[in-house]
Amino acid sequence: MPFIEVKNLEKIYRSDNVVTPALRNISFTINQGEFVAIMGPSGSGKSTLLHILGFLDRQTTGEYRFNGKTIDDYSKEEIAHTRNKRMGFIFQAFNLLPRTTVFENIKLPLLYSDIKKSQRDELALKAIESVNLSHRINHEPSQLSGGEKQRVAIARALINKPDVIFADEPTGNLDSKSGQMVMEIIQRLHEENSHTIILITHETYTAEYAQRIIKIFDGKVESDTKVNHRHTARDHFRK
């Protein structure tokens, strides 16, 4: 059974008498542990698709199954629990609390969990180490570079050990060097922990860190191909 299954998915926005199709008859499957890039230009529908996959929005027609269940099979409480415990999100804008340390930002997803405080601290420290930011643990976001902020966001997404990580244009606000570093960390974490990763990007170079690229254009799947020549993490990021 596929971990993620999308079948004849459509999303239509209606405003007054204007009908705007964002996704048109999209179908694909993603297996557990895959690293897949969904690639397309601005306005192609890729972020709309991510919002549906992450239970942040609903499709108009068609079917989306997450681990064998559709969103209609979940109660509101189960949807919230699934987003918090089984899904991790990395956004282009980082979404960090401004006057809060790296350590506290990373612990945020555990705020309403039943994990003991001492264990929360331990999990946060491990997540910080995994993105090479132990030397910034007590810094606030204003004291960090763009690349460091995104690494904090990655650590926060990892702390609950989610089944899937959704990365929405994670290099979009970064220079090329920082972007490369962030992608190498994401790739290394995938290789070491077998997370399912779904990357949204408009950049071919960034997409080629994945194992497979699904290209979307005008709301439709244009191609779905394996990456034959993947970019790989540099040696000094390997353990």
Side-chain angles (χ1 to χ4, degrees):
M1 180 180 67
F3 181 53
I4 285 173
E5 184 175 11
V6 172
K7 193 172 182 181
N8 303 324
L9 200 75
E10 301 211 347
K11 178 66 178 179
I12 297 171
Y13 294 103
R14 291 181 172 88
S15 179
D16 298 326
N17 294 322
V18 179
V19 176
T20 306
L23 299 174
R24 312 172 193 229
N25 198 34
I26 285 184
S27 298
F28 60 82
T29 60
I30 295 174
N31 294 321
Q32 197 151 21
E34 273 197 281
F35 184 175
V36 178
I38 297 174
M39 181 184 162
S42 178
S44 61
K46 58 188 186 298
S47 289
T48 298
L49 178 57
L50 178 138
H51 288 161
I52 293 171
L53 298 180
F55 284 177
L56 300 169
D57 198 0
R58 289 177 182 248
Q59 69 270 25
T60 306
T61 60
E63 188 174 84
Y64 165 42
R65 288 187 174 273
F66 178 78
N67 202 29
K69 295 171 65 175
T70 72
I71 192 168
D72 293 324
D73 295 328
Y74 293 83
S75 66
K76 287 184 179 179
E77 291 76 19
E78 287 172 330
I79 288 172
H81 181 269
T82 298
R83 276 200 306 252
N84 187 48
K85 298 287 187 182
R86 302 192 66 186
M87 299 175 174
F89 295 89
I90 304 167
F91 296 105
Q92 180 176 346
F94 318 128
N95 294 354
L96 304 179
L97 293 182
R99 288 178 292 278
T100 307
T101 65
V102 164
F103 187 63
E104 294 300 327
N105 262 290
I106 289 171
K107 283 202 301 181
L108 278 176
L110 303 178
L111 195 60
Y112 300 106
S113 73
D114 53 5
I115 298 172
K116 293 179 182 178
K117 186 179 184 302
S118 59
Q119 290 177 306
R120 293 180 195 179
D121 291 352
E122 184 181 342
L123 287 171
L125 288 171
K126 286 182 179 178
I128 290 168
E129 289 171 7
S130 73
V131 295
N132 306 316
L133 275 182
S134 298
H135 60 299
R136 293 283 190 260
I137 190 168
N138 293 315
H139 287 59
E140 295 181 0
S142 62
Q143 300 171 299
L144 305 177
S145 68
E148 288 171 336
K149 289 176 185 176
Q150 195 58 286
R151 285 152 65 188
V152 174
I154 292 169
R156 184 182 57 192
L158 289 170
I159 196 165
N160 268 328
K161 300 180 180 178
D163 296 326
V164 58
I165 295 172
F166 297 105
D168 191 2
E169 298 280 7
T171 62
N173 283 337
L174 307 178
D175 59 56
S176 59
K177 184 178 179 181
S178 297
Q180 183 179 355
M181 183 181 294
V182 162
M183 287 311 305
E184 288 172 347
I185 288 173
I186 290 173
Q187 188 185 68
R188 174 172 57 80
L189 292 170
H190 168 256
E191 291 171 353
E192 293 176 357
N193 302 301
S194 298
H195 290 292
T196 304
I197 297 178
I198 299 176
L199 167 72
I200 302 295
T201 184
H202 65 278
E203 301 170 331
T204 300
Y205 183 86
T206 301
E208 287 174 346
Y209 279 92
Q211 298 168 317
R212 174 179 156 208
I213 299 175
I214 299 172
K215 289 186 179 179
I216 293 182
F217 187 75
D218 283 347
K220 298 179 181 179
V221 172
E222 191 175 54
S223 64
D224 184 345
T225 57
K226 182 181 178 181
V227 179
N228 292 318
H229 303 288
R230 295 177 68 198
H231 299 305
T232 56
R234 290 171 295 188
D235 289 341
H236 71 268
F237 281 114
R238 296 185 182 276
K239 288 186 176 179

